[in-house]
Amino acid sequence: MTDKQKRIKANVEVLRNELDQLFDFFEKGLDYDKMVYEFWNEKDILGHITFWHESFARNISDLGKGIKPKPLKGKLSEVNKQSVETTKDESIENLIKRLKDAQNTIEAFIFDDKINMIPYKKGSRDYSKTEHLEVVSNHIHKHLKDIHKIYGKTDKQS
């Protein structure tokens, strides 16, 4: 295994760990309607993460299959709004299944040597596999931290 592959493998493990923490939280059967941000509750955040993870999975899968990827378009704020609107009516169970499916797709292609740079969003620069994994892990970690802050607060008040 090359150093590059070792870094990718380590980053995949970090990402799996973040996802496992997210799955643990959403499999507790709690009230996921508590607001974390001004307009997003905990379930909205799960939908948002799922939406972005599916985009990553689509882009890396397309690259692996020799298809030109079609990254998300629009201002980040618009795409983030779309991420919540398009997943709002999904059940938590279905969002978790979709997220796990996306992760399986990512892992199926992440070690493909013919894939170097992965598009993130139109108008944004492409990321190496290592960078993309780090960005995604940090993104999930930030939302988990915010969820735990709010959940802890509301839990103590009840």
Side-chain angles (χ1 to χ4, degrees):
M1 188 178 278
T2 66
D3 282 347
K4 185 178 174 183
Q5 289 171 324
K6 285 178 187 168
R7 279 194 306 278
I8 292 169
K9 185 176 190 239
N11 285 349
V12 167
E13 287 304 319
V14 170
L15 177 55
R16 277 188 195 150
N17 181 49
E18 294 298 334
L19 287 170
D20 285 344
Q21 289 180 54
L22 191 71
F23 299 145
D24 287 348
F25 179 76
F26 281 99
E27 289 171 346
K28 288 181 180 176
L30 304 170
D31 169 15
Y32 299 112
D33 292 327
K34 293 176 184 172
M35 298 306 286
V36 178
Y37 306 117
E38 186 177 0
F39 299 109
W40 292 5
N41 63 27
E42 291 155 335
K43 183 178 172 280
D44 293 333
I45 292 169
L46 177 62
H48 163 76
I49 290 169
T50 300
F51 178 91
W52 277 102
H53 218 60
E54 287 176 332
S55 172
F56 179 13
R58 252 187 331 273
N59 291 333
I60 198 168
S61 168
D62 284 350
L63 288 168
K65 295 173 183 174
I67 301 168
K68 186 179 180 345
K70 296 178 194 89
L72 297 167
K73 303 187 255 199
K75 289 196 301 196
L76 190 59
S77 59
E78 292 165 357
V79 177
N80 283 338
K81 188 175 178 192
Q82 179 188 6
S83 74
V84 172
E85 287 173 356
T86 59
T87 58
K88 202 139 193 79
D89 295 329
E90 295 279 339
S91 68
I92 286 174
E93 296 74 23
N94 198 44
L95 288 171
I96 288 172
K97 182 194 178 312
R98 286 173 54 184
L99 191 50
K100 287 179 178 179
D101 289 347
Q103 180 65 18
N104 289 337
T105 299
I106 291 164
E107 289 189 34
F109 290 96
I110 201 72
F111 292 101
D112 187 330
D113 289 334
K114 65 181 186 266
I115 299 172
N116 290 312
M117 302 299 282
I118 305 163
Y120 169 68
K121 188 180 81 60
K122 271 208 188 311
S124 172
R125 72 178 180 87
D126 293 353
Y127 290 92
S128 71
K129 291 183 276 191
T130 303
E131 284 178 308
H132 211 110
L133 289 166
E134 288 171 358
V135 166
V136 172
S137 294
N138 290 337
H139 177 233
I140 294 169
H141 184 80
K142 180 202 174 299
H143 284 306
L144 267 170
K145 202 169 152 188
D146 292 344
I147 285 170
H148 288 308
K149 259 193 263 178
I150 295 299
Y151 187 79
K153 271 187 199 172
T154 3
D155 196 38
K156 288 176 189 147
Q157 290 173 350
S158 39

